Amino acid sequence: MKSFIHILRSRILPHILIVPCFLLLALLVPSSLCAADFDKGLRAAEAGDYAAAFAEWRPLAEQGLAGAQYNLGHMYYKGEVVPQDDAEAAKWYRRAAEQGLAGVQYNLGHMYAKGEGVPQNDAEAVKWYRRAAEQGDAQAQSNLGYMYENGRGVPQDYAEAAKWGRRAAEQGFAQSQFNLGVMYFNGRGVPQDYALAVKWYRRAAEQGVVEAQVNIGVMYAMGESGPKDYV
């Protein structure tokens, strides 16, 4: 049986970030004023008035509010109200990422991996994926595992790839569940174990990953997970 290759699933967050209250309170700005202005921007964005949202968030972003910095970055990335500008998006994402927002750290890593708005740099991508992964971001964990598996920005290390892939898989990230199944099938980074390969393929298959559905079917047909079953 020829197993399927791993697939890198990257994403830029598609939504407007709702800032937790503790982020507002962490700034040396009156929290009630910050919250009110941020919420005005949020209501405007939800109503489709991105120009009003931008006007509310820009001053907050310049004052250092991480959520507003993220949202400005997102608007530049998507070209909402402002001209689409990856470099400007990366600038605002970086400011928010440096304050510890895991999802934005992932986004910045993605931009370095793809060379969007910043020079392509795998080492920088790994740096930001790692910061997000250590905070529990499943997609960052998945992509960090991919970087280790392929030796991008770090020495190739299948055991590290499996470690980070497992963390994402255990959070229910379907692509990592499939990838972990591949690793158990091939004995790459983990001891070869067809039963565990089936376990992780099944979890991914239940979430609609077609490659996992095919692989688990072939394994049953060939008896690599127990008695052959053609039904």
Side-chain angles (χ1 to χ4, degrees), residues 196-208:
L196 286 175
V198 168
K199 168 188 168 180
W200 290 108
Y201 283 154
R202 180 177 291 112
R203 292 191 182 182
E206 288 170 351
Q207 295 197 64

Side-chain angles (χ1 to χ4, degrees), residues 35-65:
D37 290 346
F38 187 88
D39 288 346
K40 283 171 63 178
L42 186 60
R43 288 193 298 272
E46 290 172 341
D49 189 350
Y50 294 110
F54 186 89
E56 293 293 339
W57 288 332
R58 180 68 187 239
L60 296 177
E62 290 173 344
Q63 292 174 46
L65 184 65

Side-chain angles (χ1 to χ4, degrees), residues 4-7 9 172-180 182 200-217:
F4 286 90
I5 62 171
H6 294 228
I7 299 173
R9 300 291 190 186
F173 189 59
Q175 191 60 51
S176 288
Q177 292 172 339
F178 169 71
N179 288 352
L180 195 56
V182 172
W200 290 108
Y201 283 154
R202 180 177 291 112
R203 292 191 182 182
E206 288 170 351
Q207 295 197 64
V209 177
V210 174
E211 300 95 329
Q213 294 167 354
V214 172
N215 278 13
I216 195 171

Side-chain angles (χ1 to χ4, degrees), residues 57-167:
W57 288 332
R58 180 68 187 239
L60 296 177
E62 290 173 344
Q63 292 174 46
L65 184 65
Q69 292 169 341
Y70 165 79
N71 287 348
L72 252 62
H74 177 76
M75 295 176 90
Y76 277 110
Y77 187 82
K78 300 293 288 184
E80 293 170 339
V81 177
V82 293
Q84 198 283 332
D85 188 331
D86 286 342
E88 195 69 10
K91 180 186 85 173
W92 289 107
Y93 281 154
R94 182 185 306 280
R95 294 185 184 184
E98 287 172 347
Q99 295 195 59
L101 291 186
V104 194
Q105 291 170 339
Y106 172 89
N107 284 1
L108 191 57
H110 169 80
M111 296 187 85
Y112 273 111
K114 304 293 285 186
E116 294 178 345
V118 292
Q120 198 284 331
N121 187 319
D122 285 341
E124 279 293 303
V126 166
K127 166 186 161 182
W128 290 106
Y129 283 154
R130 188 185 307 280
R131 290 190 184 184
E134 288 172 347
Q135 293 194 68
D137 186 289
Q139 290 186 304
Q141 292 168 343
S142 179
N143 280 16
L144 184 57
Y146 175 91
M147 302 296 270
Y148 271 110
E149 182 180 4
N150 291 278
R152 289 185 52 182
V154 288
Q156 189 175 57
D157 187 328
Y158 293 135
E160 278 293 300
K163 180 185 85 172
W164 288 107
R166 182 186 305 280
R167 292 187 185 184

